[in-house]
Coordinates of all heavy atoms in Angstrom, one line a residue:
F28 N 16.5 89.3 -154.9 CA 16.5 89.0 -153.5 C 16.6 87.5 -153.2 O 16.9 87.1 -152.1 CB 15.3 89.6 -152.8 CG 15.4 91.1 -152.7 CD1 14.7 91.9 -153.6 CD2 16.2 91.8 -151.8 CE1 14.8 93.3 -153.6 CE2 16.3 93.2 -151.8 CZ 15.6 93.9 -152.7
G29 N 16.2 86.7 -154.2 CA 16.4 85.3 -154.1 C 15.5 84.6 -153.1 O 14.3 84.8 -153.0
S30 N 16.1 83.7 -152.3 CA 15.4 82.9 -151.4 C 14.8 83.7 -150.2 O 15.2 84.8 -150.0 CB 16.3 81.8 -150.8 OG 17.3 82.3 -150.0
S31 N 13.9 83.1 -149.5 CA 13.3 83.8 -148.3 C 14.4 84.2 -147.3 O 14.3 85.2 -146.7 CB 12.2 82.9 -147.7 OG 12.8 81.7 -147.2
G32 N 15.4 83.4 -147.2 CA 16.5 83.7 -146.3 C 17.2 85.0 -146.7 O 17.6 85.9 -145.9
G33 N 17.4 85.2 -148.0 CA 18.0 86.4 -148.6 C 17.1 87.6 -148.3 O 17.6 88.7 -148.0
S34 N 15.8 87.4 -148.4 CA 14.9 88.5 -148.2 C 14.9 89.0 -146.7 O 14.8 90.1 -146.4 CB 13.4 88.2 -148.6 OG 13.4 88.0 -150.0
A35 N 14.9 88.0 -145.8 CA 15.0 88.3 -144.4 C 16.2 89.0 -144.1 O 16.2 90.0 -143.3 CB 14.9 87.0 -143.6
A36 N 17.4 88.6 -144.7 CA 18.6 89.3 -144.4 C 18.6 90.8 -145.0 O 19.0 91.7 -144.3 CB 19.8 88.6 -145.1
M37 N 17.9 90.9 -146.1 CA 17.8 92.3 -146.7 C 16.9 93.1 -145.8 O 17.2 94.3 -145.6 CB 17.2 92.2 -148.1 CG 17.2 93.5 -148.8 SD 18.8 94.4 -149.0 CE 19.6 93.2 -150.1
A38 N 15.9 92.6 -145.3 CA 15.0 93.3 -144.4 C 15.7 93.8 -143.2 O 15.6 94.9 -142.7 CB 13.8 92.5 -144.0
A39 N 16.6 92.9 -142.7 CA 17.4 93.3 -141.5 C 18.4 94.4 -141.8 O 18.6 95.3 -141.0 CB 18.2 92.1 -141.0
I40 N 18.9 94.4 -143.0 CA 19.9 95.5 -143.4 C 19.1 96.8 -143.6 O 19.6 97.9 -143.2 CB 20.5 95.1 -144.8 CG1 21.5 93.9 -144.5 CG2 21.3 96.3 -145.4 CD1 22.0 93.3 -145.8
L41 N 17.9 96.8 -144.0 CA 17.1 98.0 -144.3 C 16.4 98.5 -143.0 O 16.0 99.7 -143.0 CB 16.0 97.7 -145.4 CG 16.6 97.4 -146.8 CD1 15.5 97.0 -147.7 CD2 17.3 98.6 -147.3
E42 N 16.3 97.7 -142.0 CA 15.6 98.2 -140.8 C 16.1 99.5 -140.2 O 15.3 100.4 -139.8 CB 15.7 97.1 -139.7 CG 14.8 97.3 -138.5 CD 13.3 97.2 -138.9 OE1 12.9 96.4 -139.7 OE2 12.6 98.0 -138.2
P43 N 17.4 99.8 -140.2 CA 17.9 101.0 -139.7 C 17.5 102.3 -140.6 O 17.6 103.4 -140.1 CB 19.4 100.9 -139.7 CG 19.7 99.4 -139.7 CD 18.5 98.8 -140.5
L44 N 17.0 102.0 -141.8 CA 16.6 103.1 -142.6 C 15.1 103.5 -142.4 O 14.6 104.5 -143.0 CB 16.7 102.7 -144.1 CG 18.2 102.5 -144.6 CD1 18.2 102.1 -146.1 CD2 19.0 103.8 -144.4
V45 N 14.4 102.8 -141.5 CA 13.0 103.2 -141.2 C 13.0 104.6 -140.7 O 13.9 105.0 -139.9 CB 12.4 102.2 -140.2 CG1 11.1 102.7 -139.7 CG2 12.2 100.8 -140.9
D46 N 12.1 105.4 -141.2 CA 11.9 106.8 -140.9 C 12.9 107.7 -141.5 O 13.0 108.9 -141.1 CB 11.8 107.1 -139.3 CG 10.5 106.5 -138.7 OD1 9.5 106.5 -139.4 OD2 10.6 106.0 -137.6
T47 N 13.6 107.2 -142.5 CA 14.5 108.1 -143.3 C 13.9 108.1 -144.7 O 13.2 107.3 -145.1 CB 15.9 107.6 -143.3 OG1 16.0 106.3 -144.0 CG2 16.5 107.5 -141.9
T48 N 14.4 109.1 -145.5 CA 14.0 109.2 -146.9 C 14.8 108.3 -147.8 O 16.1 108.3 -147.6 CB 14.1 110.7 -147.4 OG1 13.3 111.5 -146.6 CG2 13.7 110.8 -148.8
V49 N 14.2 107.5 -148.6 CA 14.8 106.5 -149.4 C 14.4 106.7 -150.9 O 13.3 107.3 -151.1 CB 14.6 105.1 -149.0 CG1 15.2 104.8 -147.6 CG2 13.1 104.7 -149.0
S50 N 15.2 106.2 -151.8 CA 14.9 106.2 -153.2 C 14.8 104.7 -153.6 O 15.7 103.9 -153.2 CB 16.0 106.9 -154.0 OG 15.9 106.7 -155.4
I51 N 13.8 104.4 -154.3 CA 13.6 103.0 -154.8 C 13.4 103.0 -156.3 O 12.5 103.7 -156.8 CB 12.4 102.3 -154.1 CG1 12.6 102.3 -152.6 CG2 12.1 100.9 -154.6 CD1 11.5 101.7 -151.8
I52 N 14.2 102.1 -156.9 CA 14.0 101.9 -158.4 C 13.4 100.5 -158.5 O 13.9 99.5 -157.9 CB 15.3 101.9 -159.2 CG1 15.9 103.3 -159.0 CG2 15.0 101.6 -160.6 CD1 17.3 103.5 -159.7
T53 N 12.2 100.4 -159.2 CA 11.6 99.1 -159.3 C 12.0 98.4 -160.6 O 12.6 99.0 -161.5 CB 10.0 99.3 -159.3 OG1 9.7 100.2 -160.5 CG2 9.5 99.9 -158.1
C54 N 11.7 97.1 -160.6 CA 12.2 96.3 -161.8 C 11.6 96.8 -163.1 O 12.1 96.5 -164.2 CB 11.8 94.8 -161.5 SG 12.8 94.1 -160.2
D55 N 10.4 97.5 -163.0 CA 9.8 98.0 -164.3 C 10.3 99.4 -164.6 O 9.8 100.1 -165.5 CB 8.3 98.0 -164.2 CG 7.7 98.8 -163.1 OD1 8.5 99.3 -162.2 OD2 6.5 98.8 -163.0
G56 N 11.4 99.9 -163.9 CA 12.0 101.2 -164.2 C 11.4 102.4 -163.6 O 11.7 103.5 -164.0
R57 N 10.6 102.3 -162.6 CA 10.0 103.4 -162.0 C 10.9 103.8 -160.8 O 11.5 103.0 -160.2 CB 8.6 103.1 -161.5 CG 7.7 102.8 -162.7 CD 6.3 102.2 -162.3 NE 5.5 103.3 -161.7 CZ 4.3 103.0 -161.1 NH1 3.8 101.8 -161.0 NH2 3.6 104.0 -160.6
L58 N 10.9 105.1 -160.5 CA 11.6 105.7 -159.3 C 10.7 106.3 -158.3 O 9.9 107.2 -158.7 CB 12.7 106.7 -159.8 CG 13.4 107.5 -158.8 CD1 14.4 106.5 -158.0 CD2 14.1 108.6 -159.3
F59 N 10.8 105.9 -157.1 CA 10.0 106.4 -156.0 C 10.9 107.0 -154.9 O 11.9 106.4 -154.6 CB 9.1 105.3 -155.4 CG 8.1 104.8 -156.4 CD1 8.4 103.6 -157.1 CD2 6.9 105.4 -156.6 CE1 7.5 103.1 -158.0 CE2 6.0 104.8 -157.5 CZ 6.3 103.7 -158.2
I60 N 10.5 108.1 -154.4 CA 11.2 108.8 -153.2 C 10.1 108.9 -152.1 O 9.0 109.4 -152.4 CB 11.7 110.2 -153.6 CG1 12.6 110.2 -154.8 CG2 12.4 110.8 -152.4 CD1 13.9 109.6 -154.6
G61 N 10.5 108.5 -150.9 CA 9.5 108.6 -149.8 C 10.2 108.3 -148.5 O 11.4 107.8 -148.5
I62 N 9.5 108.4 -147.4 CA 9.9 108.1 -146.1 C 9.6 106.6 -145.8 O 8.4 106.3 -145.9 CB 9.3 109.0 -145.0 CG1 9.7 110.5 -145.3 CG2 9.8 108.6 -143.6 CD1 8.9 111.5 -144.5
L63 N 10.6 105.8 -145.6 CA 10.4 104.4 -145.3 C 9.8 104.3 -144.0 O 10.3 104.6 -142.9 CB 11.8 103.7 -145.3 CG 11.7 102.2 -145.1 CD1 10.9 101.5 -146.2 CD2 13.1 101.6 -145.0
K64 N 8.5 103.8 -144.0 CA 7.8 103.6 -142.7 C 7.8 102.2 -142.2 O 7.5 102.0 -141.0 CB 6.3 104.1 -142.9 CG 6.2 105.6 -143.2 CD 6.9 106.5 -142.3 CE 6.4 106.6 -140.9 NZ 7.1 107.5 -140.0
G65 N 8.0 101.3 -143.0 CA 8.1 99.9 -142.6 C 8.4 98.9 -143.7 O 8.3 99.3 -144.9
L66 N 8.7 97.7 -143.3 CA 9.0 96.6 -144.3 C 8.8 95.3 -143.6 O 8.7 95.2 -142.3 CB 10.4 96.7 -144.8 CG 11.5 96.6 -143.8 CD1 12.7 95.9 -144.5 CD2 12.0 98.0 -143.4
D67 N 8.6 94.2 -144.4 CA 8.5 92.9 -143.8 C 9.6 92.0 -144.2 O 10.5 92.4 -144.9 CB 7.1 92.4 -144.1 CG 6.8 92.2 -145.5 OD1 7.8 92.2 -146.4 OD2 5.6 92.0 -145.9
Q68 N 9.4 90.7 -143.9 CA 10.5 89.7 -144.2 C 10.6 89.5 -145.7 O 11.7 89.1 -146.1 CB 10.1 88.4 -143.5 CG 10.1 88.5 -142.0 CD 11.5 88.2 -141.4 OE1 12.3 87.5 -142.0 NE2 11.7 88.7 -140.2
A69 N 9.6 89.8 -146.5 CA 9.6 89.7 -147.9 C 10.1 90.9 -148.6 O 10.1 91.0 -149.8 CB 8.3 89.2 -148.5
T70 N 10.6 91.9 -147.8 CA 11.0 93.2 -148.2 C 10.0 94.0 -149.0 O 10.3 94.8 -149.8 CB 12.3 93.1 -149.1 OG1 13.2 92.1 -148.5 CG2 13.1 94.4 -149.1
N71 N 8.7 93.7 -148.7 CA 7.6 94.6 -149.1 C 7.8 95.9 -148.3 O 8.1 95.8 -147.1 CB 6.2 94.0 -148.8 CG 6.0 92.8 -149.6 OD1 6.3 92.7 -150.8 ND2 5.6 91.7 -148.9
V72 N 7.7 97.1 -148.9 CA 8.0 98.3 -148.2 C 6.8 99.2 -148.2 O 6.0 99.2 -149.1 CB 9.2 99.1 -148.7 CG1 10.5 98.2 -148.6 CG2 9.0 99.5 -150.1
I73 N 6.7 100.1 -147.2 CA 5.7 101.1 -147.1 C 6.4 102.4 -147.1 O 7.3 102.7 -146.2 CB 4.8 101.0 -145.8 CG1 4.2 99.6 -145.8 CG2 3.8 102.1 -145.7 CD1 3.5 99.3 -144.4
L74 N 6.0 103.3 -148.0 CA 6.6 104.7 -148.1 C 5.5 105.7 -147.8 O 4.4 105.6 -148.3 CB 7.2 104.9 -149.5 CG 8.3 104.1 -150.0 CD1 8.7 104.5 -151.4 CD2 9.5 104.2 -149.1
N75 N 5.9 106.7 -147.0 CA 5.0 107.8 -146.7 C 5.5 109.0 -147.4 O 6.6 109.1 -147.7 CB 4.9 108.1 -145.2 CG 3.8 108.9 -144.8 OD1 2.7 109.0 -145.5 ND2 3.9 109.7 -143.7
D76 N 4.5 109.9 -147.8 CA 4.9 111.1 -148.5 C 5.6 110.7 -149.8 O 6.6 111.4 -150.2 CB 5.7 112.1 -147.7 CG 5.0 112.7 -146.5 OD1 3.8 112.8 -146.6 OD2 5.6 113.0 -145.5
C77 N 5.2 109.7 -150.4 CA 5.8 109.1 -151.6 C 5.6 109.9 -152.9 O 4.4 110.4 -153.1 CB 5.4 107.7 -151.8 SG 6.1 106.8 -153.2
Q78 N 6.6 110.1 -153.7 CA 6.5 110.7 -155.0 C 7.1 109.8 -156.0 O 8.2 109.2 -155.7 CB 7.2 112.1 -155.0 CG 6.6 113.1 -154.2 CD 7.3 114.5 -154.4 OE1 8.4 114.5 -155.0 NE2 6.6 115.5 -154.0
E79 N 6.5 109.7 -157.1 CA 7.1 109.0 -158.3 C 7.8 110.1 -159.1 O 7.2 111.1 -159.4 CB 6.2 108.2 -159.1 CG 6.8 107.5 -160.3 CD 5.9 106.7 -161.1 OE1 4.7 106.6 -160.9 OE2 6.4 106.0 -162.0
R80 N 9.0 109.9 -159.5 CA 9.7 110.8 -160.4 C 9.8 110.2 -161.7 O 10.4 109.1 -161.9 CB 11.1 111.2 -159.8 CG 11.0 112.0 -158.6 CD 12.4 112.4 -158.1 NE 12.3 113.2 -156.9 CZ 13.3 113.6 -156.2 NH1 14.5 113.3 -156.5 NH2 13.1 114.3 -155.1
V81 N 9.3 110.9 -162.7 CA 9.3 110.4 -164.1 C 10.2 111.3 -164.9 O 10.0 112.5 -165.0 CB 7.8 110.4 -164.7 CG1 7.8 109.8 -166.1 CG2 6.9 109.6 -163.8
Y82 N 11.2 110.6 -165.5 CA 12.2 111.4 -166.3 C 11.8 111.4 -167.8 O 11.2 110.5 -168.3 CB 13.6 110.7 -166.1 CG 14.1 110.9 -164.7 CD1 13.7 110.0 -163.7 CD2 15.0 111.9 -164.5 CE1 14.2 110.2 -162.4 CE2 15.5 112.1 -163.2 CZ 15.1 111.3 -162.2 OH 15.5 111.5 -160.9
H83 N 12.1 112.5 -168.4 CA 11.8 112.8 -169.8 C 13.1 113.3 -170.5 O 13.8 114.1 -169.9 CB 10.7 113.8 -170.0 CG 9.4 113.4 -169.3 ND1 8.5 112.5 -169.8 CD2 8.9 113.7 -168.1 CE1 7.5 112.3 -169.0 NE2 7.7 113.0 -167.9
D84 N 13.2 113.0 -171.8 CA 14.3 113.5 -172.6 C 14.1 115.0 -172.9 O 15.1 115.7 -173.1 CB 14.4 112.7 -173.9 CG 14.9 111.3 -173.8 OD1 15.8 111.1 -172.9 OD2 14.5 110.5 -174.5
D85 N 12.9 115.4 -173.0 CA 12.6 116.7 -173.6 C 12.0 117.7 -172.6 O 11.6 118.8 -173.0 CB 11.7 116.6 -174.8 CG 10.4 115.9 -174.5 OD1 10.3 115.3 -173.4 OD2 9.5 115.9 -175.3
K86 N 11.8 117.3 -171.3 CA 11.3 118.2 -170.3 C 11.7 117.8 -169.0 O 12.3 116.7 -168.8 CB 9.7 118.3 -170.4 CG 9.0 117.0 -170.1 CD 7.5 117.2 -170.2 CE 6.8 115.9 -169.9 NZ 5.3 116.0 -169.9
G87 N 11.5 118.7 -168.0 CA 11.9 118.4 -166.6 C 11.3 117.2 -166.0 O 10.4 116.6 -166.6
V88 N 11.8 116.8 -164.8 CA 11.3 115.6 -164.1 C 9.8 115.9 -163.6 O 9.6 116.9 -163.0 CB 12.2 115.3 -162.9 CG1 11.6 114.1 -162.2 CG2 13.6 115.0 -163.4
E89 N 9.0 115.0 -163.9 CA 7.6 115.1 -163.5 C 7.5 114.4 -162.1 O 8.0 113.2 -162.0 CB 6.7 114.3 -164.5 CG 5.2 114.4 -164.2 CD 4.4 113.6 -165.2 OE1 5.0 113.1 -166.2 OE2 3.2 113.5 -165.1
Q90 N 6.9 115.0 -161.1 CA 6.8 114.5 -159.8 C 5.3 114.2 -159.6 O 4.5 115.1 -159.6 CB 7.3 115.4 -158.7 CG 8.8 115.6 -158.9 CD 9.4 116.3 -157.7 OE1 9.8 115.7 -156.7 NE2 9.4 117.6 -157.8
I91 N 5.0 112.9 -159.3 CA 3.6 112.5 -159.1 C 3.4 112.1 -157.6 O 4.1 111.2 -157.1 CB 3.2 111.4 -160.0 CG1 3.4 111.7 -161.4 CG2 1.8 110.9 -159.7 CD1 3.4 110.6 -162.4
G92 N 2.6 112.9 -156.9 CA 2.3 112.5 -155.5 C 1.6 111.2 -155.3 O 0.5 111.1 -155.9
M93 N 2.1 110.3 -154.5 CA 1.5 109.0 -154.4 C 0.9 108.8 -152.9 O 0.3 107.9 -152.7 CB 2.5 107.9 -154.7 CG 3.2 108.0 -156.0 SD 2.0 107.9 -157.4 CE 1.8 106.1 -157.5
G94 N 1.3 109.7 -152.0 CA 0.9 109.6 -150.6 C 1.5 108.4 -149.9 O 2.7 108.2 -150.0
L95 N 0.7 107.6 -149.2 CA 1.2 106.4 -148.6 C 1.1 105.3 -149.7 O 0.1 105.1 -150.3 CB 0.2 106.0 -147.4 CG 0.7 104.9 -146.5 CD1 1.9 105.3 -145.8 CD2 -0.4 104.6 -145.5
F96 N 2.3 104.6 -149.8 CA 2.4 103.7 -151.0 C 3.1 102.5 -150.6 O 4.1 102.5 -149.8 CB 3.2 104.5 -152.1 CG 3.1 103.9 -153.4 CD1 2.0 103.9 -154.2 CD2 4.2 103.3 -154.0 CE1 1.9 103.4 -155.4 CE2 4.2 102.8 -155.3 CZ 3.0 102.8 -156.0
V97 N 2.7 101.3 -151.1 CA 3.3 100.0 -150.8 C 4.0 99.5 -152.1 O 3.4 99.6 -153.2 CB 2.3 99.0 -150.3 CG1 2.9 97.6 -150.1 CG2 1.6 99.5 -149.0
I98 N 5.2 99.0 -152.0 CA 5.9 98.4 -153.1 C 6.3 97.0 -152.7 O 6.9 96.8 -151.7 CB 7.2 99.2 -153.4 CG1 6.8 100.7 -153.8 CG2 7.9 98.6 -154.6 CD1 8.0 101.6 -154.0
R99 N 5.9 96.1 -153.6 CA 6.2 94.7 -153.3 C 7.7 94.4 -153.4 O 8.4 94.9 -154.3 CB 5.5 93.8 -154.4 CG 4.0 93.7 -154.2 CD 3.4 92.8 -155.2 NE 4.2 91.6 -155.5 CZ 3.8 90.4 -155.4 NH1 2.5 90.2 -155.0 NH2 4.5 89.3 -155.6
G100 N 8.2 93.6 -152.5 CA 9.6 93.3 -152.4 C 10.2 92.7 -153.7 O 11.3 93.0 -154.1
D101 N 9.4 91.9 -154.4 CA 9.9 91.2 -155.6 C 9.9 92.1 -156.8 O 10.4 91.8 -157.8 CB 9.1 89.9 -155.9 CG 7.6 90.2 -156.2 OD1 7.2 91.4 -156.1 OD2 6.9 89.2 -156.4
N102 N 9.5 93.4 -156.6 CA 9.5 94.4 -157.7 C 10.6 95.4 -157.4 O 10.7 96.4 -158.2 CB 8.1 95.0 -157.9 CG 8.1 95.8 -159.1 OD1 8.7 95.5 -160.2 ND2 7.3 96.9 -159.1
I103 N 11.4 95.3 -156.4 CA 12.4 96.3 -156.0 C 13.7 95.9 -156.6 O 14.2 94.8 -156.4 CB 12.5 96.4 -154.5 CG1 11.2 97.0 -153.9 CG2 13.7 97.3 -154.2 CD1 11.2 97.1 -152.4
A104 N 14.3 96.8 -157.4 CA 15.7 96.5 -158.0 C 16.7 97.1 -157.1 O 17.8 96.5 -156.8 CB 15.7 97.1 -159.4
V105 N 16.5 98.4 -156.6 CA 17.5 99.1 -155.9 C 16.8 100.0 -154.8 O 15.8 100.6 -155.1 CB 18.3 100.1 -156.8 CG1 19.4 100.9 -156.0 CG2 19.0 99.3 -157.9
I106 N 17.4 100.0 -153.6 CA 17.0 100.9 -152.5 C 18.2 101.7 -152.1 O 19.2 101.1 -151.8 CB 16.3 100.2 -151.3 CG1 15.1 99.4 -151.7 CG2 16.0 101.2 -150.2 CD1 14.5 98.6 -150.6
G107 N 18.1 103.0 -151.9 CA 19.2 103.8 -151.5 C 18.7 104.9 -150.5 O 17.6 105.4 -150.7
E108 N 19.5 105.3 -149.6 CA 19.2 106.4 -148.7 C 19.4 107.7 -149.5 O 20.4 107.9 -150.3 CB 20.2 106.3 -147.5 CG 19.8 107.3 -146.4 CD 20.6 107.1 -145.2 OE1 21.6 106.3 -145.2 OE2 20.3 107.8 -144.2
V109 N 18.5 108.6 -149.3 CA 18.6 109.9 -149.9 C 19.2 111.0 -149.0 O 18.7 111.1 -147.8 CB 17.1 110.4 -150.4 CG1 17.1 111.8 -150.9 CG2 16.6 109.4 -151.4
D110 N 20.1 111.7 -149.5 CA 20.7 112.9 -148.8 C 19.7 114.0 -149.0 O 19.7 114.6 -150.1 CB 22.1 113.2 -149.2 CG 22.7 114.3 -148.5 OD1 22.0 115.2 -148.0 OD2 23.9 114.3 -148.3
E111 N 18.8 114.3 -148.1 CA 17.7 115.3 -148.3 C 18.3 116.7 -148.6 O 17.7 117.4 -149.4 CB 16.8 115.3 -147.1 CG 16.0 114.0 -146.9 CD 15.1 114.1 -145.7 OE1 14.1 114.8 -145.8 OE2 15.4 113.4 -144.7
E112 N 19.4 117.0 -148.0 CA 20.0 118.3 -148.2 C 20.4 118.5 -149.7 O 20.1 119.5 -150.3 CB 21.2 118.5 -147.3 CG 21.7 120.0 -147.2 CD 22.8 120.1 -146.2 OE1 22.5 119.8 -145.0 OE2 23.9 120.5 -146.6
V113 N 21.0 117.5 -150.2 CA 21.4 117.5 -151.6 C 20.2 117.4 -152.5 O 20.1 118.2 -153.5 CB 22.4 116.3 -151.9 CG1 22.7 116.2 -153.4 CG2 23.7 116.5 -151.1
D114 N 19.3 116.6 -152.2 CA 18.1 116.4 -153.0 C 17.3 117.7 -153.2 O 16.8 118.0 -154.2 CB 17.2 115.3 -152.5 CG 16.1 114.9 -153.4 OD1 16.4 114.4 -154.6 OD2 14.9 114.9 -153.0
E115 N 17.2 118.5 -152.1 CA 16.4 119.7 -152.1 C 17.1 120.8 -153.0 O 16.4 121.7 -153.5 CB 16.3 120.2 -150.7 CG 15.3 119.4 -149.9 CD 15.2 119.8 -148.4 OE1 15.9 120.8 -148.0 OE2 14.5 119.2 -147.6
R116 N 18.4 120.7 -153.2 CA 19.1 121.7 -154.0 C 19.0 121.4 -155.5 O 19.4 122.2 -156.3 CB 20.6 121.7 -153.6 CG 20.8 122.3 -152.3 CD 22.3 122.7 -152.0 NE 23.2 121.6 -152.3 CZ 23.9 120.9 -151.4 NH1 23.8 121.2 -150.2 NH2 24.8 120.0 -151.8
I117 N 18.5 120.2 -155.9 CA 18.4 119.9 -157.3 C 17.1 120.5 -157.9 O 16.0 120.4 -157.4 CB 18.3 118.3 -157.5 CG1 19.6 117.7 -157.0 CG2 18.1 118.0 -159.0 CD1 19.5 116.2 -156.9
D118 N 17.3 121.2 -159.0 CA 16.2 121.8 -159.7 C 15.7 120.8 -160.7 O 16.2 120.7 -161.8 CB 16.7 123.1 -160.4 CG 15.6 123.7 -161.3 OD1 14.4 123.3 -161.1 OD2 15.9 124.6 -162.1
L119 N 14.7 120.0 -160.3 CA 14.2 118.9 -161.1 C 13.6 119.4 -162.4 O 13.5 118.6 -163.4 CB 13.2 118.1 -160.3 CG 13.8 117.3 -159.1 CD1 12.8 116.6 -158.3 CD2 14.8 116.2 -159.6
S120 N 13.1 120.6 -162.4 CA 12.5 121.1 -163.7 C 13.6 121.3 -164.8 O 13.2 121.4 -166.0 CB 11.8 122.5 -163.4 OG 12.8 123.5 -163.1
S121 N 14.9 121.4 -164.4 CA 15.9 121.5 -165.4 C 16.6 120.2 -165.7 O 17.5 120.2 -166.6 CB 16.9 122.5 -164.9 OG 17.7 122.0 -163.8
V122 N 16.3 119.1 -165.1 CA 16.9 117.8 -165.3 C 16.2 117.1 -166.5 O 15.0 117.0 -166.6 CB 16.8 116.9 -164.0 CG1 17.3 115.5 -164.3 CG2 17.5 117.5 -162.9
R123 N 17.1 116.7 -167.5 CA 16.6 116.0 -168.6 C 17.3 114.7 -168.6 O 18.5 114.6 -168.5 CB 17.0 116.7 -169.9 CG 16.5 118.1 -170.0 CD 15.0 118.2 -170.2 NE 14.5 119.6 -170.4 CZ 14.2 120.4 -169.5 NH1 14.3 120.1 -168.2 NH2 13.7 121.6 -169.8
A124 N 16.6 113.6 -168.8 CA 17.2 112.3 -168.8 C 16.2 111.3 -169.4 O 15.0 111.5 -169.4 CB 17.5 111.8 -167.4
A125 N 16.8 110.3 -170.1 CA 15.9 109.2 -170.6 C 15.3 108.5 -169.5 O 15.8 108.3 -168.4 CB 16.8 108.3 -171.5
P126 N 14.0 108.0 -169.7 CA 13.4 107.2 -168.7 C 14.2 106.0 -168.4 O 15.0 105.5 -169.2 CB 12.1 106.8 -169.3 CG 11.8 107.8 -170.4 CD 13.2 108.2 -170.9
I127 N 14.1 105.5 -167.1 CA 14.9 104.3 -166.7 C 14.3 103.1 -167.3 O 13.0 102.9 -167.4 CB 14.8 104.2 -165.2 CG1 15.4 105.4 -164.5 CG2 15.6 102.9 -164.7 CD1 15.2 105.5 -163.0
K128 N 15.1 102.2 -167.9 CA 14.6 101.0 -168.6 C 14.3 99.9 -167.6 O 15.0 99.9 -166.5 CB 15.6 100.6 -169.6 CG 15.8 101.5 -170.7 CD 16.8 101.0 -171.7 CE 17.0 102.1 -172.8 NZ 17.8 101.7 -173.9
P129 N 13.4 99.1 -167.9 CA 13.1 97.9 -167.0 C 14.3 97.0 -166.8 O 15.2 97.0 -167.7 CB 12.0 97.2 -167.7 CG 11.4 98.2 -168.6 CD 12.5 99.1 -169.0
V130 N 14.4 96.3 -165.7 CA 15.4 95.3 -165.5 C 15.2 94.1 -166.3 O 14.1 93.6 -166.4 CB 15.5 95.0 -164.0 CG1 16.5 93.9 -163.7 CG2 15.7 96.2 -163.1
D131 N 16.2 93.7 -167.0 CA 16.1 92.4 -167.8 C 16.7 91.3 -167.1 O 17.8 91.4 -166.5 CB 16.9 92.6 -169.2 CG 16.2 93.5 -170.1 OD1 14.9 93.6 -170.1 OD2 16.9 94.2 -170.9
H132 N 16.0 90.2 -167.0 CA 16.5 89.0 -166.3 C 17.0 88.0 -167.3 O 16.4 87.7 -168.3 CB 15.4 88.4 -165.4 CG 15.1 89.3 -164.2 ND1 15.9 89.4 -163.1 CD2 14.0 90.1 -164.0 CE1 15.3 90.3 -162.3 NE2 14.2 90.7 -162.8

């Protein structure tokens, strides 16, 4: 996100996603799904009904309920809007994948 001006611009881009379901991948390789409830100029975000999805090579996706959750903006690698209809059709117990690797700088 770079300078504070870049963070403010990113926050403005994300503002229309408030109250929608988003997916966030953090710099340490974690994946969170939740309803974006708010964000600030530093792109710190608040997710409601948040779940962390943990991927495994040998078993289905583990979903960990996090409730109301805050993610620091400087730890966010990717934010995307979730198509809830598509997401609900995925059988996460049958998904096998290597865990997401941390972002290297």
Side-chain angles (χ1 to χ4, degrees):
F28 293 101
S30 68
S31 61
S34 293
M37 185 58 64
I40 291 169
L41 294 173
E42 190 68 34
L44 295 179
V45 170
D46 290 325
T47 66
T48 301
V49 296
S50 172
I51 297 178
I52 298 175
T53 59
C54 293
D55 60 355
R57 297 169 73 187
L58 173 69
F59 298 94
I60 306 284
I62 300 168
L63 181 63
K64 296 309 290 181
L66 62 146
D67 63 13
Q68 296 272 332
T70 322
N71 298 311
V72 300
I73 300 169
L74 297 179
N75 194 27
D76 296 329
C77 181
Q78 292 185 346
E79 180 177 4
R80 291 185 181 173
V81 182
Y82 290 84
H83 302 279
D84 289 324
D85 57 349
K86 62 180 180 178
V88 177
E89 181 181 0
Q90 295 189 90
I91 303 168
M93 307 298 281
L95 188 65
F96 197 69
V97 176
I98 302 174
R99 287 178 45 120
D101 62 358
N102 191 33
I103 295 174
V105 178
I106 299 177
E108 189 173 5
V109 173
D110 183 329
E111 293 181 70
E112 191 175 299
V113 171
D114 191 58
E115 289 174 3
R116 290 195 309 251
I117 299 171
D118 177 10
L119 292 173
S120 67
S121 68
V122 173
R123 307 286 186 271
I127 301 169
K128 294 183 180 181
V130 174
D131 289 328
H132 293 284

